[in-house]
Amino acid sequence: LPTCCTQSPVGPPRPTGASCSTFTCPPGYFAKEDYSRRVCLGFPCDVATDTLLCCNQALKCDLNCYGDGAKPVALAGATGSGDDLMLSGITLKECKRECGSSPECEGVVFGEAGGQCFGKKDIHTSMCQPGGGYVTEVLKARPWGKCVLMGDPHVIPFDRPYGPVLDEVTPGDYWLLRSPELRIQGRFGTTKRFP
């Protein structure tokens, strides 16, 4: 059986119609572990749907997730302890490869200035700090997050835990969350009491 890699806009095409012996997501994506095993392996390759069904896109955030923001993971060769457990002098690509090799690692925090690589799991974006030279990439799972809707209205979205708060909204219908898995809309308007 051939090895099937899903097609990406920049990736090479792969055989269509042949059954897959292994399944690989394109760069920038990670396998939906259980789903990719059940749906993609052993079945005919379908370029149009494999990535959509069996892969999630990795998330990149301008956040530094440490402390309560994420738990440290010991990557092979890492030094230090706790939040200071890291690999030094490597590229982001090497950092992501090391995380991919660790069954426990779900993502990385990468310090661009010194090539610092911190393995992470149980990532909570609402508890992370602004990046400040660090980026967080979630590679194998979805991070925990919070959003807030309050008042007249004030909206703090998942991807902006440090604001700015969105509070100048013209009356109407708005997407609060729109993804393949979940869609939430909000209707904002005025009342006699709050014109």
Side-chain angles (χ1 to χ4, degrees):
L1 294 174
T3 297
C4 292
C5 299
T6 57
Q7 184 172 0
S8 70
V10 296
R14 61 178 177 69
T16 300
S19 292
C20 301
S21 61
T22 61
F23 180 81
T24 307
C25 292
Y29 289 79
F30 62 92
K32 296 176 185 175
E33 290 298 331
D34 186 50
Y35 203 74
S36 66
R37 276 189 233 113
R38 287 186 293 118
V39 174
C40 300
L41 286 179
F43 290 93
C45 299
D46 182 350
V47 175
T49 59
D50 284 353
T51 299
L52 178 65
L53 289 176
C54 299
C55 302
N56 282 324
Q57 190 167 11
L59 302 174
K60 184 175 184 177
C61 308
D62 186 22
L63 295 172
N64 186 354
C65 296
Y66 65 92
D68 291 335
K71 294 178 182 170
V73 172
L75 300 177
T79 59
S81 62
D83 282 329
D84 295 324
L85 186 62
M86 70 173 157
L87 297 169
S88 295
I90 65 173
T91 66
L92 178 57
K93 184 176 181 178
E94 292 167 328
C95 181
K96 292 192 293 188
R97 186 176 61 237
E98 288 299 323
C99 180
S101 299
S102 168
E104 194 177 10
C105 187
E106 296 176 352
V108 298
V109 172
F110 187 75
E112 295 170 345
Q116 298 168 319
C117 174
F118 303 84
K120 299 292 179 179
K121 67 178 182 179
D122 199 21
I123 299 168
H124 293 255
T125 56
S126 61
M127 301 173 105
C128 299
Q129 305 300 313
Y134 292 88
V135 294
T136 296
E137 290 206 24
V138 184
L139 306 171
K140 295 190 219 171
R142 288 291 179 224
W144 294 89
K146 294 179 184 175
C147 68
V148 177
L149 302 170
M150 61 185 172
D152 56 354
H154 303 291
V155 180
I156 302 172
F158 288 107
D159 59 349
R160 291 160 70 187
Y162 290 96
V165 172
L166 306 175
D167 58 7
E168 293 184 29
V169 180
T170 305
D173 294 338
Y174 291 87
W175 283 107
L176 301 174
L177 176 63
R178 184 166 47 180
S179 74
E181 293 87 11
L182 180 63
R183 294 170 179 236
I184 301 173
Q185 284 187 297
R187 176 169 289 162
F188 297 102
T190 59
T191 65
K192 289 180 184 179
R193 183 172 175 202
F194 298 102

